Amino acid sequence: MINVTKTYLPPLAEYTAYLEGIWERNWVTNYGPLMQELEDKLKAYLGVKHLFFVANGTLALQIAIKALELRGEVITTPFSYVATTSSIAWEGCKPIFVDINPQTLCLDASLVERAITAETTAIVATHVYGNPCEVEAIQLLAEKHHLKVLYDAAHAFNVKYKGQSVLHFGHVSTLSFHATKLFHTGEGGAIVTNDDELAYKISYMANFGHDGPERFLGMGINGKNSELHAAMGLCVLPKVEEIIQHRREVSTLYDSLLQGHGLTKPVGSPETSYNYAYYPLLFPDEEKLLAVIAALNAHQIFPRRYFYPALTNLNYVLPQQAPVAQSAAARILCLPLSHDLAAETVRQITAVIIDAL
Ligand SMILES: *Cc1c(COP(=O)(O)O)cnc(C)c1O
């Protein structure tokens, strides 16, 4: 069976070596040494100032929204994983969808201004599949209208834009380290910011509001992650370059085998150093996409419709239209991509696709 992704698991001995340390110290969670080490290594690797390792990418978004004190209307993308929208609604804000750019499938910055009202407090956008949003245009809009910017960078681990980490853009960025993501800790996520004041707020908000064992600075939640998850991250991080390299080779092979069949892919900025987090493929219509899925499934190959349906369909948001996102959501499919997908399997997958078209 071949799934859309396969979790990279380190050699078991590497993980158990960390477990032995955890057993010796008898320290399982609450800011242990592995958690500190992972945060330090991630900060250095990604080149960011503040990074908080939290329980998952959804909680990262929710804590970021709380720390930024968002309220009222929040402009966001209808084309992302559901957690982007649900976090906004969960924190009591109203998601206002602005349609996506048909090339990048990220929020279309040229459509944002007309959606801004007196109630708007922020823009929450996703770097879809790891392709950066129009970060400069969004920054100008945010400055002009005094809005906060939060990026859901769940797909953008190690993505660089114009030579620097894409995580530098916006007031806060969040990452997911879920087992299906490029870099993972089993379950996990992170909140990233360059702003010292925000970082301080995030640090206590992610730890029940604690400032020392008997003092509370304000309201907080349990956002912590454990030594067991940090250990996984410490095993996976040194392999990330290798993992990306293999995914790049697989993606290049897919590109060459699939060209000339009327299929397209979202287009990222040429100034991006990409992480090959996904291999999305756009079909001319939903009928063809469904035929291809059926053919692949018959061969025990299970791609995923990331992201389907468009988030405008959620029953807890106001009915809104986003024709570009709705069209893309109906026609897009992410093909299997992992650290050890064999060239032979890629050939098999593409042969089934071409045959079913
Ligand atoms: C995976 C993902 C999330 C949620 O992350 P979890 O760690 O699974 O909670 C949020 N946004 C996007 C775009 C994602 O792909």
Side-chain angles (χ1 to χ4, degrees):
M1 194 167 88
I2 298 155
N3 281 317
V4 66
T5 193
K6 180 174 165 183
T7 303
Y8 168 82
L9 285 174
L12 189 55
E14 287 179 21
Y15 190 66
T16 52
Y18 280 109
L19 292 185
E20 279 165 21
I22 295 172
W23 259 246
E24 269 163 37
R25 288 184 294 274
N26 214 321
W27 192 350
V28 175
T29 188
N30 284 4
Y31 305 97
L34 299 183
M35 144 104 191
Q36 310 275 349
E37 187 182 341
L38 182 64
E39 282 190 351
D40 290 344
K41 285 188 168 160
L42 285 171
K43 273 185 265 189
Y45 185 76
L46 300 170
V48 296
K49 192 167 181 196
H50 302 285
L51 179 147
F52 301 94
F53 179 44
V54 295
N56 57 65
T58 306
L59 204 48
L61 282 167
Q62 292 169 357
I63 293 169
I65 291 167
K66 269 274 197 287
L68 288 165
E69 296 177 32
L70 305 191
R71 63 209 140 66
E73 296 180 359
V74 170
I75 289 174
T76 190
T77 175
F79 190 71
S80 181
Y81 185 58
V82 67
T84 317
T85 304
S86 69
S87 298
I88 295 168
W90 193 266
E91 293 304 327
C93 303
K94 195 152 105 188
I96 301 295
F97 292 118
V98 163
D99 212 347
I100 55 173
N101 176 314
Q103 301 297 312
T104 63
L105 307 188
C106 295
L107 186 74
D108 188 336
S110 73
L111 302 177
V112 167
E113 198 150 35
R114 71 187 71 161
I116 297 173
T117 72
E119 303 295 305
T120 310
T121 58
I123 300 169
V124 176
T126 302
H127 301 303
V128 178
Y129 307 126
N131 286 320
C133 293
E134 296 161 68
V135 286
E136 286 114 341
I138 289 173
Q139 190 166 330
L140 287 176
L141 284 164
E143 280 164 13
K144 182 171 164 195
H145 296 278
H146 309 288
L147 304 177
K148 297 291 196 308
V149 178
L150 168 59
Y151 284 114
D152 182 340
H155 301 173
F157 189 86
N158 206 32
V159 168
K160 292 183 189 73
Y161 177 68
K162 295 188 176 169
Q164 63 165 334
S165 171
V166 75
L167 304 172
H168 286 301
F169 293 90
H171 295 92
V172 180
S173 295
T174 60
L175 292 162
S176 166
F177 303 152
H178 184 257
T180 54
K181 301 301 203 286
L182 179 72
F183 165 78
H184 80 95
T185 58
E187 289 275 3
I191 310 170
V192 175
T193 185
N194 284 332
D195 182 313
D196 296 340
E197 240 172 86
L198 266 175
Y200 178 58
K201 221 161 140 185
I202 291 162
S203 73
Y204 74 76
M205 280 189 161
N207 184 26
F208 300 101
H210 270 294
D211 178 32
E214 293 169 4
R215 241 168 62 100
F216 296 94
L217 283 162
M219 191 164 61
I221 197 165
N222 184 2
K224 293 184 271 74
N225 212 327
S226 79
E227 292 291 277
L228 301 155
H229 294 84
M232 180 62 83
L234 288 167
C235 292
V236 178
L237 189 59
K239 308 288 165 57
V240 160
E241 299 291 332
E242 233 174 276
I243 293 169
I244 292 174
Q245 173 61 17
H246 186 80
R247 297 172 78 108
R248 189 172 74 83
E249 285 164 17
V250 169
S251 301
T252 309
L253 185 57
Y254 270 134
D255 283 347
S256 69
L257 293 169
L258 287 168
Q259 71 179 7
H261 293 279
L263 307 171
T264 57
K265 280 167 64 187
V267 189
S269 155
E271 291 173 287
T272 303
S273 134
Y274 189 52
N275 63 358
Y276 302 90
Y278 295 87
Y279 193 91
L281 201 54
L282 269 165
F283 289 78
D285 54 58
E286 190 172 18
E287 205 184 329
K288 283 222 165 60
L289 169 131
L290 294 174
V292 164
I293 294 174
L296 289 169
N297 289 354
H299 286 80
Q300 294 298 298
I301 299 162
F302 298 95
R304 275 291 295 269
R305 295 183 79 178
Y306 291 142
F307 300 103
Y308 178 83
L311 299 170
T312 45
N313 291 36
L314 293 171
N315 66 3
Y316 51 86
V317 297
L318 290 173
Q320 297 167 66
Q321 289 303 311
V324 181
Q326 285 157 341
S327 165
R331 296 183 293 114
I332 204 152
L333 189 66
C334 283
L335 299 187
L337 180 60
S338 72
H339 61 281
D340 76 346
L341 193 66
E344 183 54 35
T345 315
V346 175
R347 286 200 181 83
Q348 188 202 345
I349 293 168
T350 52
V352 175
I353 293 172
I354 292 163
D355 199 46
L357 280 174

